[in-house]
Amino acid sequence: METPPFEVPGGWVIRDIQLSGQSFSLLLPADPDRLLEAQEACTQQGLSPDTASQDPYWASLWSSAAPTANLVLRSSWSAPTRALELGCGLGLVGLAALAKGLQVTFSDFIPEAIDLALNNSRRNGFTSATGCLLDCLNPPQLTEDEKFPLIFGSDILYNRVNHQPILVALERLLAAEGVCWIGDPGRYNSHEFFESAKTRFQLELRGEDEQRLDKPQSGQFQLFVLRHSSPVSSDDERGEISLRAKEDWLERKVTKIPTIPATK
C-alpha cells in the first residue's frame, strides 16, 4: 500500500472516485484550505512559504477534473500514445488516461503535486507514469519527436494572466498532429481564453455530453479542444527559448520527483 509522499497541514484522506464504471482511489489533503492558510500566514509574517503552499490550489479536487476524466475514459485512443497532463494537481485526469493505456507524464510547477500524482498512479496499479517539473511561464522548446501527441488539462484557466503563457506552452509542447483537451467549469473569464485560443489554434468547444457548443458557457462544464492551425515550425516565431532551459526541462523529466517536506 502506498504511503503518503509527504506531510501536509491537516493530514490526508482517501476518496474513491467512480467514473464510467471504473473506480479510482485518490489520496488528497483532508483540508486543502489549511495550505491556503499557511500561505497567508507566511505572507503576513514576511516569510517565504514552502513549495507546497506557494500555490496551494493544486491540493483540491476541482470541479472539472471528474468530467474531463470521464470524457477521456469514454473516448478511444491509440495506445500506447504519449500524453501529458498539464497542471496535474492530484492527477485524476492522468489516471483516466493511464486506464486507457496511454503513456502519461504528469506535469506541474509544484513538485509536491507531481509527487502526489505519481503516488496516486501507483496506488491505482499504474507503475509506468513519469513526472516533470514544467512552468508555463518558461516552457521548453522541443523537437517534434519530443512533443506530446496528447495533452490534457482541467481547471487551469482560472487566472487570465496565464492564458497567453498556456497557449505559448501548448504551441511548444503539442505535436504537429496532436490534440489538447482542457476542461473548464464555465468560469467567467473562459470567453477571453476562447477568443485568444482562436487566434493560435483550430478550436472546438464541447459540453459534458460531447455536444458542440458555439460559445463558452457560464457555470457549466465545457471542453476546449485545440489543434495546431498550421504546420508547426521547429523555430518559435514568438521568441526562442535558451538551450539551457530545454536541457533543464529534459533533466527534470524523471520517474520520481524529489519532494520538499511540508513545514509542520
Side-chain angles (χ1 to χ4, degrees):
M1 185 66 178
E2 284 290 321
T3 58
F6 49 89
E7 296 181 7
V8 291
W12 298 94
V13 67
I14 296 176
R15 286 183 57 183
D16 290 326
I17 309 294
Q18 304 292 326
L19 297 172
S20 296
Q22 299 197 46
S23 178
F24 298 96
S25 178
L26 205 64
L27 178 73
L28 67 163
D31 188 358
D33 287 344
R34 293 281 296 275
L35 286 164
L36 182 59
E37 292 168 0
Q39 180 199 52
E40 292 173 346
C42 288
T43 301
Q44 292 172 0
Q45 299 174 37
L47 303 174
S48 296
D50 58 56
T51 56
S53 299
Q54 285 178 3
D55 186 340
Y57 304 108
W58 64 268
S60 296
L61 182 60
W62 293 99
S63 61
S64 290
T68 304
N70 241 333
L71 289 173
V72 171
L73 290 169
R74 284 157 45 185
S75 298
S76 298
W77 309 98
S78 297
T81 302
R82 294 168 55 244
L84 176 73
E85 184 176 5
L86 191 64
C88 64
L90 307 176
L92 181 60
V93 176
L95 289 179
L98 286 165
K100 296 294 288 186
L102 301 178
Q103 295 179 348
V104 175
T105 296
F106 294 101
S107 74
D108 207 295
F109 72 98
I110 300 295
E112 284 81 357
I114 302 167
D115 209 4
L116 180 56
L118 290 171
N119 183 284
N120 277 323
S121 68
R122 294 190 297 270
R123 184 177 298 274
N124 287 272
F126 304 115
T127 59
S128 63
T130 59
C132 69
L133 290 169
L134 195 155
D135 186 352
C136 285
L137 297 179
N138 186 27
Q141 181 157 336
L142 307 178
T143 67
E144 189 61 31
D145 288 341
E146 294 166 343
K147 294 179 180 180
F148 292 89
L150 297 171
I151 297 179
F152 301 117
S154 66
D155 269 302
I156 61 174
L157 306 178
Y158 53 88
N159 188 345
R160 63 162 60 91
V161 174
N162 292 333
H163 289 181
Q164 291 298 329
I166 287 172
L167 291 170
V168 171
L170 291 177
E171 287 176 327
R172 295 179 177 179
L173 300 172
L174 185 64
E177 302 299 324
V179 61
C180 171
W181 283 12
I182 300 178
D184 180 80
R187 295 185 185 278
Y188 69 93
N189 61 6
S190 62
H191 68 282
E192 298 177 18
F193 180 80
F194 181 77
E195 294 300 327
S196 296
K198 286 195 302 183
T199 67
R200 294 173 178 262
F201 292 89
Q202 294 180 19
L203 179 62
E204 297 176 25
L205 195 60
R206 302 176 187 170
E208 191 165 355
D209 295 323
E210 302 183 63
Q211 74 275 22
R212 295 290 183 92
L213 302 175
D214 294 328
K215 59 182 179 180
Q217 308 294 301
S218 178
Q220 298 181 28
F221 174 81
Q222 54 200 351
L223 184 74
F224 292 91
V225 180
L226 296 87
R227 294 180 175 85
H228 287 295
S229 55
S230 59
V232 181
S233 170
S234 60
D235 296 325
D236 184 5
E237 296 176 356
R238 294 174 176 81
E240 294 186 357
I241 191 167
S242 69
L243 178 61
R244 180 67 251 167
K246 176 180 175 180
E247 291 172 346
D248 286 346
W249 185 84
L250 292 174
E251 288 171 3
R252 294 170 184 168
K253 189 175 182 296
V254 296
T255 57
K256 179 71 174 177
I257 298 292
T259 61
I260 302 174
T263 302
K264 296 183 179 179

